[in-house]
Amino acid sequence: MAPVCVLVGPPGAGKSTVGQALATLLGVPFADTDALIEATAGKPIPDIFVEDGEPAFRALERVAVADALAGFEGVLALGGGAIMDDGTRTALAAHRVVYLSVELGDAVKRVGLGAGRPMLSVNPRATLKYLMDQRRPLYESVATHTVATDGRTPQEIAELLAAPLRS
């Protein structure tokens, strides 16, 4: 049992939106590890960051990702920072991983000014650029496929991904 594919990328790449559309096209379930973490913690991610700290969030994230990689059959979207964990990157080697890349301008338009995104609460544009620059090599290292999302609708991206995943 394993995900049909795992979507990775920075905030604003469209992992959740594309993932839902792709799952619908493929007739499989969709899961987002951020939603799984919120369900486990019983509170929104911003509250976890404020009340418990980023290390507590990352610990929950490691478990959510590992559990989903081992037991979820569908399209799985990982939070933007999940690939920072060495164990997660190692575990992803056994899966079909799609890196949804996005340039800064499109990402900023999509995420707004970081509402509900703890990592983007201070100087969102500069922080997003820093995170994207820092994480891009890691996304590329785990990806079996890369798709540029700039200028494409979520449905167009999902359709592009669906064909090879059906075979």
Side-chain angles (χ1 to χ4, degrees):
M1 196 175 340
V4 172
C5 76
V6 181
L7 302 177
V8 300
K15 298 178 298 290
S16 297
T17 308
V18 170
Q20 290 169 347
L22 179 58
T24 298
L25 285 174
L26 297 175
V28 299
F30 170 76
D32 183 321
T33 56
D34 283 350
L36 298 174
I37 293 163
E38 289 181 340
T40 299
K43 55 186 164 185
I45 288 172
D47 291 354
I48 298 169
F49 267 77
V50 170
E51 296 168 15
D52 307 319
E54 184 179 355
F57 169 76
R58 296 296 175 200
L60 291 168
E61 183 175 56
R62 273 190 296 281
V63 171
V65 171
D67 289 350
L69 290 176
F72 178 71
E73 293 180 325
V75 175
L76 178 65
L78 302 191
I83 48 83
M84 298 299 290
D85 182 76
D86 292 338
T88 295
R89 288 195 310 278
T90 300
L92 287 171
H95 297 275
R96 185 177 293 178
V97 179
V98 178
Y99 165 34
L100 297 179
S101 71
V102 63
E103 295 305 318
L104 183 62
D106 274 20
V108 168
K109 287 179 206 164
R110 293 175 188 171
V111 300
L113 294 178
R117 296 179 185 261
M119 296 297 289
L120 301 180
S121 60
V122 177
N123 196 349
R125 186 178 180 91
T127 302
L128 183 55
K129 180 180 181 344
Y130 170 78
L131 291 175
M132 290 173 72
D133 290 346
Q134 177 191 39
R135 296 172 179 174
R136 184 179 321 266
L138 300 177
Y139 295 134
E140 291 170 346
S141 75
V142 299
T144 55
H145 300 81
T146 299
V147 176
T149 64
D150 303 278
R152 292 180 166 152
T153 68
Q155 191 64 34
E156 288 170 335
I157 299 162
E159 289 170 5
L160 182 71
L161 291 172
L165 292 175
R166 285 188 180 113
S167 54

